[in-house]
Amino acid sequence: MAKVVLAGKANCPYYAKAELLADYLQVNLPDFRVHKITQHPDKWEQWLHDICEMNGWEHRQSPIIWRELLDRGGKGLLLGGVNDFLEYAQHYYGITSMLLSEEMSDIAEENLQAHIETEKEEEEIKSLIRPLQIWITSASAPICYQLIPLLASGEVFGMTTEISIHLLDTDQFKEILCGIVMEAEDMAFPLLHSISEHTEIDEAFIQADIIIVLDDVLLNHEVQSLEKYIREVSEICQVYAPLIEKNAKSEVRVISSGKTFVNLKAMMIMTYGPSIKPANVIAVATSWENAARAMLARKLNMNTAGVKDVIVWGNITGCNYIDLSHAKLYGYDCAIWGPANFPCPLLNVIYDSEWIHSAFLSAQCSLSSRVCHSVGMLPAHGVATVLRHWYHGSPPGEIISVGILTEGQFCVPEGIVFSMPVRFQNGNWEVVTELEINETTQEVLGRLAHELIQEKLIALKKIKEMHPYGADKITS
């Protein structure tokens, strides 16, 4: 079977002559197939150069015609231009073209108009595809490398939602960003509409639906004081927040993640971006939550996924409290049996109260160390989990911990970003205020709130020096 490929400028009369002859051969010969490639005149020269370079051909005019060897495969056999094709058809099939020059020109003009209309239709179809625009800051961080496959696989937003990912970092990490872009493209995710790298800060967050803030400051208290670190965080957010207000969509959702100051980053973005909806800015505590669940699962010799409703209170990357009083076990092999969705209170199963009050609570420092030294898989899964809950709702009866701007829930002072249990539903979240909190836990929450208030006061002091309006906002 012969397959002939015709390529040419849409307005080329010689391409029109070759096209009509090829159509006649295809209709009248059972084993003859033709494939046409029409290019706009403005794009023809570059396209011809690329195809010739790829195949090692020499050809400089429109059209270019080659035969593909379907029976043997391999590189196509170049026939040449229109005269070469006429000779080929005459030699093999005894057929030639008697088309006149005037007729060729008329057909060429029709071809050009049809090509322009086809391109316009394709652009209109593309414009109907509106992928979620996701921006990731400090995208050279290891978490980003792990996060992209989770976002692009359909696991987070669903198998019908296309996404465009924008990687933002400084110019010194441009090579790393380009490498990530190339690898993501090579993986050919069906839902990844596009992925791009950005090093110009003025381009940041254009049309963003979701912004994932990964920026961290490297802590070394022997070199710098806490005040200087807080100032550094404030300066980063002072750049981001106005750009989010200017460039992102009005309903943009901002997620603060990372290993340091995630509560403060969320707070500062709200402060410097007063038009950003506070309910659309949250800090992720899932990594700490999941690390605690894994530790409990090892103690009980069960699957980590069966441990639910472990709550992380307070300053996610600072002093926090991991609360087990509402934790439940699903699928645990114990004396009490029930259906698959039957929960068993964790504290009713772990009879070793000594372990809870000594080994587990003292191990919270090691949990923090494990989270902070993660190579990226754990925090990436945490961000993906929060986004999945945010867009599709929390599983029935399940709660998750995130840092949100407080409004006095659980007697925590208003106006700080504090991690507490929430439930996502219909694209929104609500604090699970029906949970009962005992006096001991309430005292702990008071101490944790005090730390965040002090952090806020330090930030306020720095903001007064740099941005008086921000100081007014943060105290309101």
Side-chain angles (χ1 to χ4, degrees):
M1 179 181 287
K3 178 183 177 182
V4 172
V5 181
L6 275 69
K9 289 190 292 184
N11 64 344
C12 173
Y14 300 104
Y15 173 72
K17 186 171 186 176
E19 179 186 23
L20 287 180
L21 176 58
D23 287 343
Y24 179 85
L25 294 173
Q26 181 168 252
V27 170
N28 291 279
L29 300 174
D31 293 331
F32 187 93
R33 297 290 181 269
V34 62
H35 176 66
K36 304 171 193 175
I37 302 174
T38 308
Q39 292 292 327
H40 193 281
D42 296 341
K43 300 177 181 178
W44 167 252
E45 294 294 337
Q46 184 62 50
W47 185 90
L48 180 62
H49 174 270
D50 293 343
I51 197 71
C52 288
E53 186 176 85
M54 182 175 67
N55 290 282
W57 295 335
E58 286 288 338
H59 191 85
R60 305 190 184 283
Q61 296 177 346
S62 172
I64 181 173
I65 305 168
W66 69 90
R67 181 186 174 209
E68 292 190 350
L69 309 177
L70 299 182
D71 53 344
R72 287 178 290 171
K75 186 173 72 171
L77 176 65
L78 179 65
L79 298 179
V82 64
N83 290 332
D84 302 293
F85 182 53
L86 292 174
E87 291 178 9
Y88 172 84
Q90 179 68 43
H91 177 74
Y92 281 95
Y93 308 113
I95 299 173
T96 190
S97 173
M98 305 301 294
L99 195 66
L100 300 176
S101 298
E102 185 177 342
E103 294 174 313
M104 290 163 51
S105 298
D106 291 341
I107 295 171
E109 183 62 30
E110 291 176 5
N111 281 346
L112 178 60
Q113 292 304 316
H115 180 75
I116 292 172
E117 289 176 8
T118 301
E119 283 191 329
K120 184 178 179 181
E121 288 175 2
E122 290 175 352
E123 288 299 320
E124 288 177 353
I125 292 172
K126 287 181 181 179
S127 69
L128 297 176
I129 301 174
R130 297 195 175 139
L132 277 177
Q133 302 293 326
I134 303 172
W135 283 78
I136 305 175
T137 71
S138 288
S140 62
I143 175 179
C144 182
Y145 199 81
Q146 305 286 343
L147 181 59
I148 289 172
L150 296 177
L151 299 177
S153 67
E155 177 186 341
V156 175
F157 303 108
M159 299 305 298
T160 59
T161 303
E162 294 192 12
I163 65 171
S164 289
I165 297 177
H166 306 268
L167 308 178
L168 178 67
D169 215 319
T170 59
D171 194 59
Q172 71 181 100
F173 297 108
K174 185 178 179 66
E175 187 174 342
I176 294 176
L177 298 186
C178 290
I180 295 174
V181 168
M182 289 178 63
E183 283 202 57
E185 290 174 340
D186 290 345
M187 293 178 76
F189 293 105
L191 297 174
L192 184 58
H193 185 267
S194 65
I195 182 168
S196 56
E197 46 83 18
H198 303 266
T199 56
E200 297 294 331
I201 191 63
D202 292 340
E203 300 175 357
F205 315 130
I206 292 176
Q207 290 299 300
D209 293 292
I210 299 166
I211 298 171
I212 302 170
V213 181
L214 301 181
D215 300 74
D216 276 324
V217 296
L218 301 178
L219 300 179
N220 185 344
H221 293 295
E222 294 180 0
V223 177
Q224 287 191 149
S225 65
L226 178 63
E227 288 81 359
K228 289 185 178 179
Y229 286 123
I230 290 176
R231 184 182 191 120
E232 188 176 336
V233 173
S234 296
E235 289 173 351
I236 292 170
C237 297
Q238 189 178 14
V239 173
Y240 286 166
L243 287 170
I244 294 172
E245 289 185 301
K246 177 184 175 184
N247 295 336
K249 294 178 182 175
S250 60
E251 294 293 326
V252 63
R253 298 174 179 182
V254 182
I255 287 185
S256 173
S257 184
K259 300 176 181 179
T260 59
F261 297 107
V262 296
N263 294 57
L264 184 63
K265 284 186 292 187
M267 183 81 249
M268 292 297 96
I269 286 171
M270 295 182 220
T271 298
Y272 288 117
S275 68
I276 302 171
K277 294 183 178 180
N280 283 5
V281 183
I282 61 176
V284 176
T286 322
S287 295
W288 278 259
E289 198 175 276
N290 287 344
R293 291 168 60 198
M295 185 176 178
L296 292 163
R298 284 191 291 271
K299 171 68 175 176
L300 296 167
N301 193 28
M302 66 176 293
N303 191 317
T304 303
V307 183
K308 305 286 188 181
D309 297 351
V310 173
I311 300 172
V312 178
W313 298 95
N315 191 351
I316 296 166
T317 48
C319 289
N320 57 53
Y321 171 56
I322 298 176
D323 183 5
L324 306 182
S325 61
H326 304 279
K328 302 179 184 68
L329 305 178
Y330 291 82
Y332 179 62
D333 187 10
C334 64
I336 302 174
W337 286 73
N341 60 349
F342 175 75
C344 183
L346 180 139
L347 294 182
N348 289 356
V349 172
I350 299 183
Y351 297 103
D352 190 354
S353 59
E354 180 68 23
W355 180 84
I356 293 175
H357 292 97
S358 58
F360 179 78
L361 293 179
S362 63
Q364 291 194 37
C365 292
S366 66
L367 287 177
S368 178
S369 176
R370 285 174 56 195
V371 171
C372 290
H373 289 88
S374 166
V375 295
M377 190 182 303
L378 179 61
H381 178 263
V383 171
T385 299
V386 169
L387 281 171
R388 185 170 62 251
H389 282 230
W390 209 342
Y391 274 82
H392 297 289
S394 299
E398 190 171 326
I399 60 178
I400 190 172
S401 304
V402 297
I404 53 99
L405 186 67
T406 56
E407 297 179 351
Q409 303 96 333
F410 302 109
C411 298
V412 174
E414 295 183 24
I416 56 176
V417 172
F418 194 93
S419 179
M420 58 179 61
V422 305
R423 186 182 295 114
F424 289 91
Q425 189 174 8
N426 299 324
N428 301 305
W429 54 261
E430 60 177 4
V431 178
V432 187
T433 53
E434 65 267 23
L435 294 180
E436 294 184 5
I437 303 298
N438 59 38
E439 291 184 8
T440 303
T441 300
Q442 194 66 66
E443 290 177 7
V444 172
L445 299 190
R447 292 196 296 270
L448 298 176
H450 178 74
E451 181 197 61
L452 284 166
I453 291 171
Q454 294 304 309
E455 198 174 84
K456 173 181 172 178
L457 291 174
I458 294 171
L460 174 61
K461 179 181 177 183
K462 301 303 176 185
I463 290 172
K464 283 182 177 177
E465 299 171 1
M466 301 182 295
H467 201 289
Y469 177 76
D472 294 339
K473 172 67 179 175
I474 201 170
T475 55
S476 61

